[in-house]
């Protein structure tokens, strides 16, 4: 597999994992809105595992670049990073929604 295919595969790994994480975080928000706090927290914990996997792969790519092995930007890489940041945002929001649900319980 050439370097470009390795980078694309790494990007797809990020996209798949953080996409699953974001889905868990959104479900957690919905559950918190229904007052199902324990279930919401469980979804955040599940999402966190997906997020950490995607984040670790992204970290490997940053280390590769920092080590002098340049990675050419591509739409797939930009999309992967966008999805990573989106998932992180939903994770923060899920935590806030859960906190609000606890206060209102």
């Amino acid at each position: 597999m050439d370097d470009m295919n390795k980078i694309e595969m790494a990007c797809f790994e990020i996209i798949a994992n953080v996409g699953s994480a974001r889905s868990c975080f959104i479900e957690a928000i919905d559950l918190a809105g229904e007052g199902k706090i324990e279930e919401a927290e469980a979804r955040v914990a599940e999402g966190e595992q997906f997020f950490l996997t995607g984040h670790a792969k992204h970290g490997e790519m940053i280390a590769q670049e920092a080590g002098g092995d340049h990675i050419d930007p591509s739409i797939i890489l930009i999309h992967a990073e966008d999805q990573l940041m989106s998932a992180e945002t939903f994770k923060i929001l899920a935590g806030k929604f859960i906190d609000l649900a606890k206060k209102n319980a």
Side-chain angles (χ1 to χ4, degrees), residues 32-33 35 37 96-105:
I37 296 167
K96 298 290 185 186
F97 274 88
I98 291 169
D99 289 344
L100 285 172
K102 286 178 179 178
K103 286 180 185 177
N104 292 326

Side-chain angles (χ1 to χ4, degrees), residues 6-15 17-18 50-64 71 77 80 84:
K6 287 179 185 176
I7 293 167
E8 288 175 354
M9 291 305 295
C11 288
F12 288 129
E13 186 176 334
I14 293 168
I15 292 165
N17 278 288
V18 301
F50 285 116
F51 183 81
L52 290 174
T53 300
H55 192 267
K57 181 56 71 174
H58 187 253
E60 289 173 18
M61 294 174 74
I62 290 171
Q64 177 182 342
I71 297 174
L77 176 58
L84 181 72

Side-chain angles (χ1 to χ4, degrees), residues 75-103:
I75 293 296
I76 295 170
L77 176 58
I78 293 167
H79 180 63
E81 291 183 328
D82 178 61
Q83 295 301 299
L84 181 72
M85 296 307 299
S86 174
E88 186 171 29
T89 300
F90 275 104
K91 177 180 146 186
I92 293 166
L93 290 172
K96 298 290 185 186
F97 274 88
I98 291 169
D99 289 344
L100 285 172
K102 286 178 179 178
K103 286 180 185 177

Side-chain angles (χ1 to χ4, degrees), residues 28-44:
I29 291 169
D30 291 339
L31 289 164
E34 296 170 11
K36 299 176 181 175
I37 296 167
E38 287 182 21
E39 290 177 53
E41 290 175 331
R43 294 303 285 163
V44 169

